Amino acid sequence: MRPEILNSLFAEVETLDGVGPKVVKPLEKLGLTRVRDVAYHLPDRFVTRRPVENLDQASVGEQVVVPLTVTEHRAGRSGRGPYNVLAQDAIGNVCSLTYFGKASYTAKKQLPVGEKRWVAGRLDQYGQMLQIVHPDHVAEDSAGLLTTLNEPVYALSEGLTQPKVVGLATQALARLPELPEWIEPTQFSKAKWPAWADALKLAHKGEHPAARDRLAYDELLANSLALALVRADNRKRRGQRLQGDGSLRSRLELPFPLTGAQQRSIREIEGDLAQDTPMLRLLQGDVGSGKTVVALEAMLVAVEAGAQAALLAPTEILARQHFETLRRMLAPTGVEIALLTGRDKGRARESILMGLHDGGIRIVVGTHAIFQDTVTYRNLGLIVIDEQHRFGVSQRLTLAGKGRVTPHTLAMTATPIPRTLTLAQYGEMEVSRLDEMPPGRQAIDTVVVSTDRLSEMVERLAAQLEAGAQAYWVCPMVHELENEDIAAAEARFAALKERFGDAVVLVHGQLRPEAKDAAMERFAAGDAKLLVATTVIEVGVDVPNATLMIIEQAERFGLAQLHQLRGRVGRGSQKSVCVLLRGEALSEVGRERLALMRESQDGFYLAEEDLRLRGGGELLGTRQSGDAPFKLATLEQIQRLLPLAHDDARLLMERDGGLASPRGEAARVLLYLFERDWGVQLLRGG
Ligand code: ADP
Ligand code: MG
C-alpha cells in the first residue's frame, strides 16, 4: 500500500481550486490527473520578453510584448484550420495572431476589432506573414505584462492558459509533504542538491540546474531501484530448464541461411533457456533484421523440450500477421499453432482454450487476450513479447506470475536505442542485438526535396499509385500542441482526398481505436492506396506493396523517429523511395539530420547520432514519441546521472535488499512517488 505521507500528492486534480470538468480534460491530455503530476509538470522554459513599440524593432523568433490594433477576424475553413486575428502595429505592419481549435473562443473575447491590445508571445513568420501563434498573454494595458521577467512557460493543451497552470502549480507546491531523504547521504552532500520539496519549488521558479538534477536523479534512482528489485526477484524465481534436441528445428525449411547475428542471438537464447533461472532477454533489431525467425527458433526449443510457447503482439493486426507467417514456416514441422485475440468468441475460442489447457496447441499467438484468467496452459515455458515498449515491465511481471514455475521471457523491439540508454530502459535484461541485416536487402532511396516542390511530389505520388503501388504521407509536426498536428494532417488529407478520392485514408492519435484499426486494415488489405498520418503509424505493420513515403517538414522530426517512419517502406522486392520534404528555415541540426538520413540506413548508428545531435538539454523523445523512458530526466542528465543512480541502487540492495532500514523506507516512498511500486510488490511476494 502507498505510504500515507503521499496521500496529498496522489489526490486527484479536482481537489485543487478552480479545477472543474472543463479543466480536467485538458489536464488529462497532458497526463496530469493528480496533484503529484501538477507538481512535476515543470516549466519547459522561462522567457524574458522584450517590450517593443512596433514590429520593426523585433526580429523573428524573438519573445516580445507589442501593442497591436485588431483589424479583422478570419475563421478557418469550416471551423477547421487556424483562426486568424489580423492586427496592426503603430506603423502599419500587419501581424496575424493565430489560434487553433477551441483557443479561438478566447481570441474572440480578448481581441475585439478596432481595439488596441498588448500582445505577448513569440514572433514568427509564416510565408510572408508575421505571426504570433497562441499569444502567451493579451492585455488591455501593458503594465502587468512588462513587469514579469523570467516567466515560466508550461506545456499546454487546448483549454489551458499559462496563468491557469501557474495557479495550479502554486497550489500543488503548497501541498508538498515533508518526505524523508532517499538519496545516499554522501552523494547528496557531495552534489549539494536541495531537499526534495525545495527542489520542486525552485524548478518551477527559475532555471536552477541543481534542483533539476536532483529531481531527475530521483526519477533515475526510482527506475534503477525498481529494476534491481525485478532482477533480484527473478533470481529467486524458479524456471524450467528447456533443452531442445533440434528435432523440430531441423525440419524447418527456411528459404534462406540465417545471418551471423541471428545465429548468435539464437545461441544466446538457447543458453538462457537451458538454465533454471527464468530468462529475461531483449532481442533488439532494426525493422527487417529478421527477429521473427529468431523468435520461431526459440519457441521451437521450448516445444522440443515439451513445453508451450506464447507470442504476444501489441495489436490485433500484428498478431494476425505473426500468426500467418509462423503458420507457414511451421507447416513442415507439424507443430500445432493457434491465434487467440479478443475477437474470438464462442466455439472457436472454446476449442483453442481447450487446446492450450490440454497441451495440444504448442504455440499460441495473440494479443493480451492470451493471458486472461480464463486461459490456462498445460505448461507454458516461454513468452515472446513483440514490440516490448508497448507493454510496461509491470505488465510483463503479471504475465510471469501466472504459473508455479516462471516462464522464460524474450522481449523484442525494433527501436534501436543507444547503448547508454539500454541500461536505463531495459536495465534488468540481457540484450541480444541483430546488428546485421539479411543480405540482398534493397536500399531505400532517400531524397531531400524543398517544400516548394510539393505539387511535383503529388504528381510523382499519382504516378506511383497509378502503377499499383501504395504510399504513406506523414504530416508535419507543427507546434507544441498536438491538435495543430492533427489539424495539419486533416488539411492535407482533405487536399489529397480531393485528388485521389476514396483511395486515401487518415490515421491520427485522436481517432477512436476502431476507426484507426479500420483505416489501417483497409490500407494493409490494399484497398486503400494512400495512408495519411501523423506520427502514429503502427509500429511493425508490414505492407510490402507500400514503396513510397513522403514526410513533410522532415527537419522537425528526430532522427530516430525519421528512421522508424522510413522503416515502413522497403519491405517488398520493389525499389522504395523516401522523400523528405524540408521547410524553408532549416537549422544546422535539421540540415545535419537530413544529411544523415540520406547517408545511412543503420538504425543503431542513427540512434547514436540522434543522441549526439540532441546533446544536452532537449528532453528525450518529444511528446509525440510516447516511448520515452523518463519524464523528467533529459538525455544529458541520463548520461551523467544514471551511472550514479545505478550504483546507488545496487549498493542499497546489497545492504538492505528488503528495504527495511530507515533509508530503505525512504526508498519505498520514492518508488511509490514514481509509480515503480511493482518493485515494492515483488518484495512482498518474495
Ligand atoms: P523484423 O525484425 O522487422 O521483425 P522480420 O522477421 O519480419 O523482421 O523479417 C523481415 C523479412 O526478412 C522477412 O520477409 C523474413 O522472411 C526475411 N528474413 C529474415 N531473416 C532472413 C535471412 N537470414 N536472410 C534473408 N531473409 C531473411
Ligand atoms: Mg517484426
Side-chain angles (χ1 to χ4, degrees):
M1 266 244 293
R2 184 163 55 224
E4 266 172 37
I5 196 168
L6 292 175
N7 285 355
S8 64
L9 286 171
F10 280 85
E12 313 215 317
V13 278
E14 281 98 324
T15 62
L16 296 171
D17 286 342
V19 181
K22 265 202 203 132
V23 181
V24 169
K25 271 256 168 70
L27 286 176
E28 199 183 294
K29 260 204 192 139
L30 292 170
L32 313 181
T33 58
R34 294 138 327 164
V35 173
R36 173 215 174 277
D37 309 326
V38 176
Y40 272 112
H41 188 56
L42 302 180
D44 276 348
R45 60 201 153 88
F46 293 84
V47 290
T48 303
R49 300 193 181 85
R50 197 162 68 87
V52 294
E53 283 155 31
N54 59 60
L55 294 169
D56 281 1
Q57 295 175 0
S59 36
V60 168
E62 201 182 0
Q63 297 282 349
V64 294
V65 180
V66 61
L68 297 171
T69 303
V70 180
T71 55
E72 190 189 336
H73 281 225
R74 280 190 197 158
R77 262 181 302 120
S78 66
R80 294 258 167 227
Y83 186 91
N84 289 305
V85 177
L86 301 187
Q88 257 180 17
D89 70 2
I91 55 172
N93 290 312
V94 178
C95 177
S96 168
L97 309 176
T98 303
Y99 293 85
F100 291 89
K102 292 196 193 100
S104 63
Y105 300 138
T106 331
K108 283 178 200 160
K109 265 189 273 166
Q110 288 183 330
L111 295 158
V113 173
E115 299 282 312
K116 180 167 163 182
R117 291 288 183 269
W118 269 263
V119 176
R122 203 179 85 133
L123 186 65
D124 281 322
Q125 193 165 2
Y126 184 75
Q128 294 301 309
M129 185 69 135
L130 289 173
Q131 76 168 2
I132 296 176
V133 178
H134 288 195
D136 296 335
H137 299 282
V138 172
E140 289 180 38
D141 71 86
S142 69
L145 292 182
L146 299 189
T147 49
T148 32
L149 287 173
N150 207 33
E151 186 184 270
V153 180
Y154 292 93
L156 298 179
S157 62
E158 206 173 276
L160 287 177
T161 59
Q162 292 297 341
K164 184 85 206 174
V165 177
V166 170
L168 298 179
T170 309
Q171 289 184 61
L173 292 174
R175 292 200 195 173
L176 299 183
E178 277 290 318
L179 297 183
E181 187 53 71
W182 44 72
I183 298 177
E184 208 274 316
T186 330
Q187 166 68 14
F188 182 68
S189 56
K190 204 169 76 190
K192 299 201 175 61
W193 282 333
W196 173 76
D198 295 335
L200 268 176
K201 288 174 189 159
L202 287 166
H204 278 273
K205 230 175 17 204
E207 274 158 39
H208 201 300
R212 291 267 178 168
D213 274 0
R214 195 248 137 91
L215 298 173
Y217 186 82
D218 288 347
E219 186 179 38
L220 297 170
L221 180 61
N223 198 61
S224 293
L225 198 54
L227 294 176
L229 287 164
V230 169
R231 160 136 273 185
D233 172 76
N234 197 64
R235 288 222 178 89
K236 274 185 289 178
R237 283 175 186 265
R238 212 163 52 77
Q240 54 178 323
R241 293 177 192 273
L242 298 175
Q243 249 163 331
D245 56 7
S247 58
L248 295 171
R249 282 172 286 165
S250 64
R251 273 190 250 159
L252 285 177
E253 292 161 11
L254 296 179
F256 45 72
L258 296 175
T259 63
Q262 284 170 322
Q263 289 173 21
R264 193 187 60 233
S265 300
I266 292 167
R267 272 201 307 276
E268 287 165 351
I269 294 164
E270 267 184 292
D272 287 358
L273 292 176
Q275 309 297 316
D276 58 5
T277 305
M279 167 171 79
L280 278 181
R281 184 170 286 275
L282 179 72
L283 178 64
Q284 219 184 2
D286 221 335
V287 164
S289 59
K291 292 186 290 296
T292 316
V293 185
V294 176
L296 174 67
E297 298 254 350
M299 292 195 288
L300 284 178
V301 173
V303 176
E304 283 168 3
Q308 291 164 297
L311 191 153
L312 179 62
T315 64
E316 293 240 2
I317 305 178
L318 284 174
R320 224 164 275 282
Q321 278 187 0
H322 273 309
F323 173 68
E324 294 302 338
T325 315
L326 292 173
R327 186 169 58 170
R328 245 181 287 125
M329 291 199 279
L330 280 172
T333 65
V335 169
E336 181 109 11
I337 179 171
L339 173 72
L340 184 62
T341 71
R343 269 189 218 169
D344 299 302
K345 298 266 145 53
R347 273 260 190 71
R349 184 183 157 82
E350 284 309 311
S351 104
I352 293 171
L353 295 191
M354 194 81 87
L356 292 172
H357 183 74
D358 68 21
I361 297 173
R362 317 304 299 270
I363 296 180
V364 64
V365 178
T367 54
H368 49 258
I370 59 179
F371 291 109
Q372 278 162 359
D373 286 340
T374 47
V375 185
T376 53
Y377 292 86
R378 183 181 153 83
N379 179 14
L380 183 58
L382 169 67
I383 301 172
V384 180
I385 307 177
D386 196 17
E387 295 310 339
Q388 135 94 15
H389 60 282
R390 298 287 205 87
F391 302 96
V393 175
S394 52
Q395 203 169 346
R396 207 210 68 235
L397 289 168
T398 58
L399 306 184
K402 285 208 77 158
R404 269 173 302 113
V405 284
T406 305
H408 297 279
T409 304
L410 176 67
M412 308 198 288
T413 178
T415 315
I417 48 177
R419 283 188 191 277
T420 36
L421 296 187
T422 313
L423 175 68
Q425 215 158 352
Y426 303 108
E428 91 279 26
M429 295 190 158
E430 309 293 335
V431 178
S432 295
R433 277 189 162 201
L434 292 182
D435 48 11
E436 176 190 354
M437 279 288 179
R441 207 39 62 84
Q442 289 242 21
I444 301 167
D445 272 345
T446 303
V447 291
V448 179
V449 172
S450 159
T451 302
D452 301 344
R453 292 169 54 198
L454 191 123
S455 51
E456 213 178 294
M457 289 308 120
V458 174
E459 292 318 309
R460 185 165 180 176
L461 172 64
Q464 286 280 319
L465 300 186
E466 193 74 25
Q470 287 172 280
Y472 296 97
W473 189 298
V474 180
C475 291
M477 296 219 262
V478 183
H479 262 279
E480 284 147 43
L481 293 176
E482 192 203 8
N483 278 310
E484 297 175 29
D485 292 350
I486 288 168
E490 283 184 339
R492 180 62 67 211
F493 173 64
L496 289 167
K497 204 170 161 96
E498 235 157 71
R499 174 73 195 259
F500 300 110
D502 274 349
V504 195
V505 286
L506 172 69
V507 173
H508 62 62
Q510 269 175 33
L511 291 180
R512 280 175 302 112
E514 308 87 75
K516 206 157 60 181
D517 278 359
M520 286 305 305
E521 254 168 74
R522 269 196 70 203
F523 186 69
D527 178 24
K529 302 292 179 207
L530 177 62
L531 179 74
V532 179
T534 54
T535 51
V536 299
I537 302 179
E538 290 289 320
V539 181
V541 164
D542 192 15
V543 182
N545 193 41
T547 51
L548 174 63
M549 166 162 289
I550 296 174
I551 305 178
E552 277 190 70
Q553 294 192 21
E555 74 277 6
R556 294 197 176 213
F557 293 85
L559 203 45
Q561 201 170 16
L562 285 173
H563 176 69
Q564 287 282 313
L565 287 169
R566 180 171 60 183
R568 303 296 106 218
V569 295
R571 310 191 124 216
S573 49
Q574 293 300 105
K575 183 86 193 156
S576 286
V577 177
C578 176
V579 178
L580 304 173
L581 287 174
R582 65 168 160 76
E584 290 146 36
L586 204 55
S587 70
E588 194 50 44
V589 171
R591 189 186 311 278
E592 208 174 329
R593 274 190 197 135
L594 298 187
L596 282 161
M597 280 298 290
R598 224 170 22 202
E599 230 169 71
S600 170
Q601 239 161 274
D602 177 344
F604 289 108
Y605 171 72
L606 290 173
E608 298 288 347
E609 287 297 300
D610 198 35
L611 187 63
R612 181 180 64 79
L613 285 177
R614 281 165 191 252
E618 194 179 332
L619 282 172
L620 176 62
T622 50
R623 242 164 243 110
Q624 282 83 357
S625 83
D627 55 18
F630 300 110
K631 294 202 174 86
L632 295 171
T634 63
L635 280 173
E636 185 277 325
Q637 284 171 320
I638 294 172
Q639 289 180 292
R640 181 161 46 87
L641 300 174
L642 184 63
L644 294 175
H646 190 73
D647 290 348
D648 194 352
R650 202 182 286 168
L651 200 65
L652 179 60
M653 287 297 292
E654 269 168 31
R655 288 188 191 154
D656 179 19
L659 300 184
S661 66
R663 206 185 141 224
E665 288 289 337
R668 283 173 191 247
V669 172
L670 173 71
L671 288 168
Y672 276 99
L673 182 60
F674 281 96
E675 302 184 284
R676 302 294 204 277
D677 38 303
W678 33 267
V680 186
Q681 264 135 44
L682 287 178
L683 271 181
R684 196 158 335 105

